């Protein structure tokens, strides 16, 4: 319990640190939301300075940060100048779409990666294993955005997917039509996510299963005549889970930030396009809100992974107790 | 290769290995594959209730032989007669009835037991596949703990809470639950301090006397095995280069490899004696 309390305190300090750095970096970044207005001769400098004062941009950094903290405490997380609305509802509306995409992608990725990783580890050195290693090295070395654009080009060129024009929230159409529509819309971005993430996770799962397969306690289990399936589920998988759980934490952490580029490329109405627009127009509170949401998931994901590791690995429990 | 190992009738030899060979292929599918013979034309036999020590330097192939005898590996050629049955090429499902008769004690006591298990889970695991009931398993595990001089109350503790020497005792207790006839001790003493080594060696000798166990003792330490083994086979480069009675090997080594092993064992002993003298 004390270990968890300490981890939680670290998480809060980390979030505070991220928010301070965000403010410092946005202060250092050139330009502001009203710079384009300055180029317009019809807008007087007085109007611009009145607007700056209205949104509190004329205040010193420390005052703005204090206001933002108060706003965060009210769960508003600042005020978007471009949308003229509090940041949190804006982000949450888009984050729901992003989470739908990334959660589906993550579940599929882990389902495929764990099965494929274990299967390849059992076939170490064979043709398929070698082929996968080369193919995954290739996929990992290509930037995600290039893969996304290439797959998008293939889908468009050969018209592999039907057009989908239904509303994303499914208003006015039946449940099944909505589900079908959603599946069509999600197919390409989810495929890209699974394709990119699996290449990395399968390698990790394969490596940790291989490591456990060679340990004396697994060999001892074989020498007792225990069936392969029982050795796999009772001995190998629990022992190989620790590195995979740590990686699962990163997957959870990337639920908000992992698909931003893919959303932009595929036109998915999630956080990606919103934060890109906000960055280009220097709507800084919205950008800071996006970064904080991503940091929150990063910290939360790692916290969940820590708890899972604590439950899964008695050695960490002992270590945590020793550290008290 | 000298083939003058003192042979006895097959019915007296509990284990007889004849012409055992095992090789590995180094290199991958797309690079040059180099076959390496880890063990070639290995012949030996162990009478019931006796100990054969297979000694050699690292990489001499002794662990490969141990893994073939326990059928963790399938040999490329040769026969392994166990109680009159050749198990060298038996299939996995046919080995199920043979497995309880052969048990292996691994080099590293810490990693040879699943760290996620309690002592009871670790010891009872081999009994689960034999379909023993919960109460039967528990009573066998308690008896095994007593045999290796560990308190039965420790069964509910995590294996993480046992020391290295205690874990080696746990590994022996686990092996005893299947009532084996042959114990393969693969460097079972390395990683233990001298007094624990002596305790484990005494325990193994007591168990051998009590259950008429046959031991195949794998080690690189000729001095240590000379106290336990009835016969010694020295391995080098995947072959047995010298074999005979323990006394004969220790007092009158014929092969250069045996002499090297003996001199390094003596050097290690004198170094230990010097250290003990200095600390006294």
């Amino acid at each position: 319990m004390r270990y968890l309390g300490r981890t939680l305190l670290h998480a809060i300090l980390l979030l505070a640190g991220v928010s301070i750095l965000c403010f410092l970096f946005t202060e250092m970044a050139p330009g502001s939301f009203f710079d384009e207005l300055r180029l317009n001769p019809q807008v007087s400098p007085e109007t611009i300075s009145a607007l700056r004062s209205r949104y509190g941009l004329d205040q010193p950094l420390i005052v703005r940060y204090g206001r933002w903290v108060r706003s965060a405490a009210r769960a508003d997380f600042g005020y978007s100048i471009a949308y003229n609305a509090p940041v949190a509802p804006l982000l949450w509306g888009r984050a729901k779409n992003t989470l739908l995409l990334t959660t589906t992608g993550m579940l599929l990725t882990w389902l495929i990666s764990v099965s494929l990783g274990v299967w390849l580890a059992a076939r170490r050195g064979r043709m398929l294993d070698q082929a996968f290693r080369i193919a995954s090295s290739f996929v990992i070395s290509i930037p995600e955005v290039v893969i996304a654009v290439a797959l998008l080009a293939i889908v468009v060129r050969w018209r592999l997917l039907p057009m989908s024009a239904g509303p994303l929230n499914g208003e006015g159409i039946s449940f099944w039509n909505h589900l079908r529509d959603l599946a069509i819309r999600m197919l390409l971005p989810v495929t890209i996510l699974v394709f990119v993430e699996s290449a990395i996770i399968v390698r990790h799962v394969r490596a940790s299963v291989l490591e456990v397969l060679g340990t004396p306690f697994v060999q001892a289990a074989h020498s007792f005549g225990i069936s392969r399936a029982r050795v796999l589920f009772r001995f190998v998988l629990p022992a190989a889970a620790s590195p995979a759980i740590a990686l699962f934490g990163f997957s959870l952490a990337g639920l908000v930030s992992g698909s931003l580029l893919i959303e932009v490329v595929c036109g998915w109405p999630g956080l990606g396009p919103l934060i890109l627009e906000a960055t280009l127009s220097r709507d800084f509170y919205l950008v800071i809100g996006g970064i904080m949401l991503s940091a929150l998931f990063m910290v939360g994901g790692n916290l969940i992974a820590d708890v899972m590791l604590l439950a899964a690995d008695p050695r960490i429990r002992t270590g945590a107790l020793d550290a008290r | 290769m000298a083939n003058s190992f003192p042979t006895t009738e097959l019915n007296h030899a509990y284990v007889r290995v004849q012409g055992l060979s095992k090789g590995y292929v180094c290199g991958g599918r797309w690079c040059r594959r180099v076959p390496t013979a880890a063990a070639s034309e290995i012949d030996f036999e162990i009478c019931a209730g006796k100990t054969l020590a297979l000694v050699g330097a690292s990489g001499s192939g002794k662990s490969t032989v141990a893994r073939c005898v326990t059928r963790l590996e399938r040999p490329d050629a040769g026969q392994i007669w166990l109680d009159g049955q050749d198990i060298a090429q038996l299939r996995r499902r046919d080995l199920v009835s043979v497995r309880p008769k052969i048990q292996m004690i691994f080099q590293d006591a810490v990693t040879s037991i699943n760290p996620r298990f309690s002592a009871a889970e670790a010891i009872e695991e081999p009994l689960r596949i034999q379909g023993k009931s919960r109460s039967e398993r528990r009573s066998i595990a308690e008896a095994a703990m007593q045999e290796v001089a560990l308190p039965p109350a420790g069964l509910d503790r995590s294996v993480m809470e046992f020391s290295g020497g205690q874990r080696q005792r746990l590994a022996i207790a686990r092996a005893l639950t299947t009532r084996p006839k042959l114990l393969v001790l693969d460097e079972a003493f390395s990683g233990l301090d001298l007094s624990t080594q002596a305790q484990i060696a005494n325990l193994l000798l007591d168990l051998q006397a009590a259950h008429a166990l046959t031991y195949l003792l794998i080690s690189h330490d000729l001095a240590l095995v000379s106290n336990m083994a009835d016969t010694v086979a020295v391995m080098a480069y995947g072959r047995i280069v010298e074999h005979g009675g323990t006394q004969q090997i220790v007092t009158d080594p014929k092969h250069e490899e045996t002499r090297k092993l003996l001199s390094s064992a003596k050097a290690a002993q004198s170094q230990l004696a010097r250290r003990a003298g200095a600390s006294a």
Side-chain angles (χ1 to χ4, degrees):
Chain A
M1 215 54 211
R2 204 164 148 182
Y3 169 76
L4 279 181
R6 207 178 51 219
T7 315
L8 212 65
L9 183 72
H10 283 175
I12 292 166
L13 288 175
L14 195 68
L15 286 175
V18 170
S19 68
I20 292 168
L21 281 179
C22 274
F23 267 82
L24 282 175
F25 286 137
T26 48
E27 178 72 9
M28 282 154 68
S32 80
F33 185 79
F34 300 108
D35 278 1
E36 276 187 38
L37 283 181
R38 282 185 217 281
L39 299 174
N40 189 341
Q42 289 176 324
V43 182
S44 69
E46 288 75 24
T47 312
I48 290 172
S49 83
L51 279 170
R52 282 179 63 83
S53 139
R54 187 180 153 198
Y55 289 105
L57 296 182
D58 54 345
Q59 300 291 320
L61 184 69
I62 187 84
V63 177
R64 273 184 283 149
Y65 182 68
R67 282 185 181 175
W68 180 84
V69 170
R70 276 202 298 280
S71 160
R74 288 196 308 271
D76 278 348
F77 289 94
Y79 201 82
S80 160
I81 308 167
Y83 288 88
N84 206 16
V87 164
L90 275 174
L91 281 177
W92 182 237
R94 296 294 196 99
K96 279 193 282 192
N97 294 342
T98 294
L99 285 174
L100 176 67
L101 193 70
T102 50
T103 310
T104 313
M106 190 189 74
L107 291 178
L108 280 174
T109 300
W110 278 91
L111 204 68
I112 293 169
S113 300
V114 171
S115 330
L116 196 59
V118 172
W119 190 75
L120 289 175
R123 281 154 190 77
R124 181 193 186 181
R126 294 197 198 166
M127 182 76 99
L128 267 171
D129 180 42
Q130 306 256 25
F132 179 83
R133 277 166 59 195
I134 292 171
S136 62
S137 304
F138 191 65
V139 172
I140 291 167
S141 61
I142 302 172
E144 173 183 276
V145 69
V146 175
I147 294 173
V149 171
L151 281 177
L152 185 68
I154 290 168
V155 166
V156 172
R157 176 75 179 78
W158 281 293
R159 296 181 185 176
L160 297 177
L161 284 173
M163 287 295 286
S164 158
L168 198 67
N169 58 9
E171 267 173 36
I173 53 174
S174 75
F175 175 74
W176 291 113
N177 278 343
H178 173 49
L179 212 62
R180 181 182 155 276
D181 195 57
L182 210 57
I184 292 170
R185 275 171 180 250
M186 285 170 65
L187 192 60
L188 183 63
V190 165
T191 307
I192 297 167
L193 272 175
V194 171
F195 194 64
V196 173
E197 294 281 313
S198 304
I200 300 166
I201 297 172
V202 170
R203 286 176 80 103
H204 279 87
V205 172
R206 176 189 171 276
S208 45
V209 169
L210 267 182
E211 197 185 325
V212 179
L213 282 177
T215 54
F217 73 81
V218 171
Q219 311 233 331
H222 282 302
S223 76
F224 300 138
I226 298 171
S227 70
R228 276 183 187 167
R230 187 171 169 83
V231 170
L232 181 70
F233 286 103
R234 189 159 160 78
F235 290 79
V236 179
L237 289 185
S242 297
I245 287 173
L247 204 62
F248 184 71
F250 281 114
S251 277
L252 285 176
L255 276 180
V256 163
S257 54
S259 67
L260 299 186
L261 277 174
I262 292 169
E263 287 174 20
V264 172
V265 172
C266 298
W268 180 261
L271 284 170
L274 181 77
I275 290 175
L276 181 69
E277 281 167 31
T279 311
L280 292 176
S281 64
R282 291 171 179 75
D283 190 359
F284 286 135
Y285 286 115
L286 196 51
V287 175
I288 290 169
I291 294 170
M292 288 309 293
L293 190 65
S294 155
L296 195 71
F297 268 76
M298 181 67 78
V299 168
N302 284 324
L303 198 67
I304 292 170
D306 278 353
V307 173
M308 284 169 74
L309 273 178
L310 208 61
D313 198 336
R315 286 169 301 179
I316 294 175
R317 271 206 296 279
T318 318
L321 290 173
D322 289 345
R324 280 199 317 197
Chain B
M1 190 191 78
N3 244 341
S4 56
F5 196 76
T7 53
T8 55
E9 288 303 311
L10 188 60
N11 54 357
H12 289 127
Y14 187 74
V15 184
R16 173 177 275 190
V17 171
Q18 289 178 315
L20 177 85
S21 297
K22 176 71 188 173
Y24 299 100
V25 178
C26 302
R29 192 168 292 273
W30 284 292
C31 48
R32 205 163 67 91
R33 291 156 72 88
V34 183
T36 309
S40 305
E41 296 290 323
I42 302 294
D43 294 306
F44 63 79
E45 62 179 42
I46 320 171
C47 294
K50 299 290 180 191
T51 302
L52 167 74
L54 204 54
V55 293
S58 295
S60 57
K62 52 194 192 302
S63 284
T64 301
V65 174
R67 293 171 60 78
C68 287
V69 170
T70 47
R71 275 307 313 274
L72 285 171
E73 305 253 10
R74 187 196 286 256
D76 297 336
Q79 289 109 44
I80 302 164
W81 295 92
L82 184 86
D83 207 11
Q85 182 189 11
D86 182 11
I87 62 162
Q89 300 300 327
L90 283 187
R91 283 171 303 177
R92 197 180 162 87
R93 65 167 178 271
D94 297 327
L95 277 169
V96 171
S97 60
V98 179
R99 295 261 187 227
K101 296 183 198 169
I102 322 164
Q103 287 297 310
M104 189 159 174
I105 306 294
F106 290 85
Q107 178 174 5
D108 188 353
V110 175
T111 56
S112 72
I113 303 176
N114 194 337
R116 283 158 183 78
F117 283 0
S118 67
E121 283 177 303
I123 293 178
E124 290 175 19
E125 193 61 35
L127 300 170
R128 283 174 186 266
I129 51 165
Q130 294 178 3
K132 297 261 193 276
S133 72
R134 196 187 170 92
S135 59
E136 275 179 306
R137 290 202 306 263
R138 186 73 187 192
S139 64
I140 293 173
E142 281 175 359
M145 286 286 273
Q146 274 169 339
E147 275 196 291
V148 297
L150 285 175
L155 276 173
D156 296 318
R157 282 162 54 196
S158 161
V159 293
M160 300 283 298
E161 295 172 38
F162 290 83
S163 68
Q166 286 174 324
R167 281 197 220 184
Q168 198 59 293
R169 284 173 191 268
L170 273 183
I172 295 168
R174 178 179 62 178
L176 289 178
T177 56
T178 62
R179 293 280 154 232
K181 295 289 175 204
L182 171 67
L183 268 191
V184 179
L185 308 155
D186 186 8
E187 301 274 9
F189 301 100
S190 57
L192 301 174
D193 60 68
L194 278 179
S195 86
T196 315
Q197 274 186 5
Q199 286 170 18
I200 299 284
N202 284 337
L203 171 69
L204 286 167
L205 288 172
D206 290 345
L207 290 170
Q208 186 171 39
H211 301 289
L213 289 169
T214 306
Y215 288 158
L216 173 59
L217 180 58
I218 311 290
S219 181
H220 60 274
D221 186 348
L222 242 176
L224 177 79
V225 300
S226 61
N227 296 322
M228 283 186 73
D230 300 293
T231 46
V232 175
V234 181
M235 276 191 81
Y237 316 111
R239 291 177 179 274
I240 290 180
V241 292
E242 185 170 1
H243 45 214
T246 306
Q247 201 57 37
Q248 178 215 320
I249 294 279
V250 173
T251 53
D252 183 23
K254 298 277 190 295
H255 196 272
E256 182 57 33
E257 192 63 29
T258 318
R259 283 195 283 272
K260 263 197 248 174
L261 285 168
L262 271 172
S263 64
S264 60
K266 279 175 190 160
Q269 271 183 337
S270 59
Q271 203 171 7
L272 275 172
R274 269 203 305 278
R275 274 191 203 165
S279 63

